[in-house]
Amino acid sequence: MDQLSYEELKKITLDSLEQEERVLSEFKIIDQEMSALKNENARLNRELQKYKEFLPIKAALKAKKMIKK
């Protein structure tokens, strides 16, 4: 098996570190996007709860349940 020179090993190592850095950066972006989506989902759920408490909608939901039975 051929032995790699110091410079070749150094280049391979640096390339590997750059790739790892890019992947970690992408994971960080994905994590931020997921966090934003979770916050948006929580906000929408809170808003949905407000509308569920609105009397005509609440009555319609109960009627829908009764029809299904």
Side-chain angles (χ1 to χ4, degrees):
M1 185 171 170
D2 294 327
Q3 288 190 338
L4 298 173
S5 71
Y6 171 78
E7 290 300 319
E8 291 171 325
L9 288 172
K10 183 177 166 184
K11 183 182 180 331
I12 291 170
T13 303
L14 289 175
D15 289 345
S16 177
L17 287 172
E18 286 174 9
Q19 288 177 350
E20 185 177 348
E21 186 177 333
R22 277 193 298 262
V23 168
L24 289 173
S25 177
E26 289 176 24
F27 277 142
K28 184 177 178 182
I29 291 168
I30 290 169
D31 188 49
Q32 289 170 345
E33 290 173 351
M34 285 177 56
S35 180
L37 288 171
K38 285 178 185 177
N39 290 338
E40 178 71 5
N41 188 41
R43 185 189 67 76
L44 290 172
N45 281 333
R46 287 191 302 273
E47 201 161 310
L48 181 62
Q49 285 306 117
K50 281 194 279 185
Y51 288 113
K52 281 185 177 179
E53 296 303 316
F54 187 58
L55 189 58
I57 294 174
K58 196 171 185 178
L61 289 172
K62 281 187 179 182
K64 187 177 178 182
K65 280 184 182 178
M66 296 294 280
I67 292 171
K68 283 185 178 180
K69 288 183 179 181

